[in-house]
Amino acid sequence: MDPQRPSRTAEGAAALRVWHTLLDDPPHVFDDSIVRSMLSGPTRLVLHSPPSMVRNAIRAREALQPELAALRGQVVLRSRFAEDALDAALAAGCEQVVILAAGLDTTAQRRPELARSGAIFEVDHPATQAWKRERLPPDLGEAVRFVAMDFEREALDTRLAEAGLRSDVPMFVNWLGCTYYLEPAAVTATFEALGRIAAPGSEIVLDHWLPEPGLNWRPRLLLAGVRFAVALQREPLRCLLTAGELAQHAAAGGWQVAEQLDAKAQRERWLAGRSDTLSLPDFAHVTRLVRA
Ligand SMILES: C[S@@+](CC[C@H](N)C(=O)[O-])C[C@H]1O[C@@H](n2cnc3c(N)ncnc32)[C@H](O)[C@@H]1O
């Protein structure tokens, strides 16, 4: 990442979540309309509910070329996966929530009571976090515990402990939209750091993308397009992992796979029976890990 500049992919992912609520049919897989207020002016300007003629034209296009719908789908399905897991963790009594590579994540806005209780920690690259903090309502800006750091350079466990994270009670970690932008060594280091500070029963939910070999031409083409686009934004893809490789990286930190959904399983769970064109690329996997 460019250390001086907020992450463009963070705003892109947030815009796709809003676009899902404007273009796709209810029920929405993940409703993050609230993030709209944090988007930059130009992005907000183009995000409007399309008139039905335009909607139909977009859908006709997406039926032939599902790539844009697939990018939107991978952003909202990963968030839905994390949200369901967070609901379950909170119901089971979890008291600490860590949002890694938070970008414009809105957990704090959607769960203000949790944020006000001091339970939410947000970790992100300094430039992205500073940019997000300017956009947060002041009371939440005070309540969330922020950690500004670069995963490639600093020790996450030390920084989280300094911010008040307890290692004697379980934590829930949301780590979405990030593994593919890090060097493989930084992915392992993150699992190791979380492993050092995690009480038994802690969980991590994350997504990862499969490498090109093994994918058919359509997701391969999409991945090539994404690779090009994010490199232009100075956030190049650095770490594509098979499910087995992800499990190995995680095991280095003492994390075990509790749930791993490939694209087919996610489509069956969240896209079956939908009347719109929302889809998901084959390379998008989501995983829930636990610390025994
Ligand atoms: C695509 S955004 C994902 C944001 C959010 N989690 C979501 O799902 O919308 C990628 C995030 O990873 C963060 N990131 C990328 N490389 C990083 C690094 N080396 N250290 C800290 N954060 C990093 C960016 O700042 C950005 O917030």
Side-chain angles (χ1 to χ4, degrees):
M1 275 193 70
D2 181 339
Q4 311 304 330
R5 217 173 64 156
S7 162
R8 291 277 171 86
T9 62
E11 178 160 46
L16 286 172
R17 292 196 293 272
V18 174
W19 188 226
H20 166 58
T21 60
L22 298 174
L23 179 72
D24 296 316
D25 294 333
H28 295 120
V29 174
F30 184 71
D31 188 341
D32 199 23
S33 341
I34 199 168
V35 78
R36 190 188 175 96
S37 63
M38 286 201 288
L39 298 174
S40 62
T43 306
R44 264 206 310 270
L45 262 183
V46 295
L47 281 175
H48 284 290
S49 194
S52 60
M53 259 178 62
V54 177
R55 182 188 307 267
N56 292 342
I58 294 171
R59 287 192 178 174
R61 179 73 187 255
E62 288 191 341
L64 294 171
Q65 267 186 314
E67 279 67 29
L68 265 184
L71 278 186
R72 184 167 81 247
Q74 69 90 27
V75 166
V76 293
L77 264 64
R78 75 185 187 208
S79 290
R80 173 61 187 271
F81 178 70
E83 200 64 12
D84 288 354
L86 175 59
D87 278 338
L90 294 174
C94 178
E95 294 170 9
Q96 312 188 95
V97 178
V98 179
I99 318 282
L100 286 189
L104 294 181
D105 177 279
T106 54
T107 304
Q109 289 96 311
R110 289 178 293 103
R111 300 176 188 261
E113 292 315 314
L114 191 67
R116 286 189 197 109
S117 74
I120 300 184
F121 296 74
E122 282 200 14
V123 184
D124 209 341
H125 206 277
T128 311
Q129 191 169 85
W131 167 76
K132 183 200 191 157
R133 289 182 75 166
E134 285 168 12
R135 286 163 171 77
L136 272 178
D139 61 325
L140 290 179
E142 302 281 310
V144 172
R145 304 200 206 183
F146 288 103
V147 175
M149 64 168 280
D150 183 341
F151 297 130
E152 308 273 359
R153 294 171 198 282
E154 290 172 78
L156 177 59
D157 51 335
T158 310
R159 298 297 313 278
L160 280 172
E162 285 166 4
L165 190 89
R166 291 172 57 186
S167 56
D168 58 336
V169 292
M171 62 177 162
F172 176 89
V173 180
N174 164 320
W175 189 21
L176 299 180
C178 183
T179 50
Y180 19 92
Y181 297 117
L182 301 181
E183 292 294 345
V187 173
T188 309
T190 302
F191 284 129
E192 288 173 347
L194 290 171
R196 286 193 290 273
I197 202 171
S202 295
E203 291 187 348
I204 306 175
V205 289
L206 74 155
D207 67 318
H208 68 103
W209 290 352
L210 302 183
E212 284 90 348
L215 295 173
N216 74 28
W217 70 271
R218 203 134 212 168
R220 228 180 232 244
L221 203 64
L222 175 58
L223 199 48
V226 170
R227 192 183 277 286
F228 180 71
V230 296
L232 279 184
Q233 293 170 355
R234 285 181 261 166
E235 295 176 54
L237 295 185
R238 293 200 162 101
C239 185
L240 302 181
L241 299 167
T242 63
E245 287 165 346
L246 188 273
Q248 273 176 13
H249 280 273
W255 297 94
Q256 291 165 5
V257 173
E259 198 177 3
Q260 199 156 41
L261 300 184
D262 62 11
K264 183 168 176 281
Q266 292 175 70
R267 288 184 199 115
E268 283 167 8
R269 190 176 291 188
W270 292 299
L271 298 183
R274 290 193 68 84
S275 50
D276 49 36
T277 44
L278 193 64
S279 65
L280 185 74
D282 284 348
F283 56 77
H285 276 208
V286 289
T287 303
R288 184 167 59 85
L289 303 165
V290 292
R291 188 83 159 90

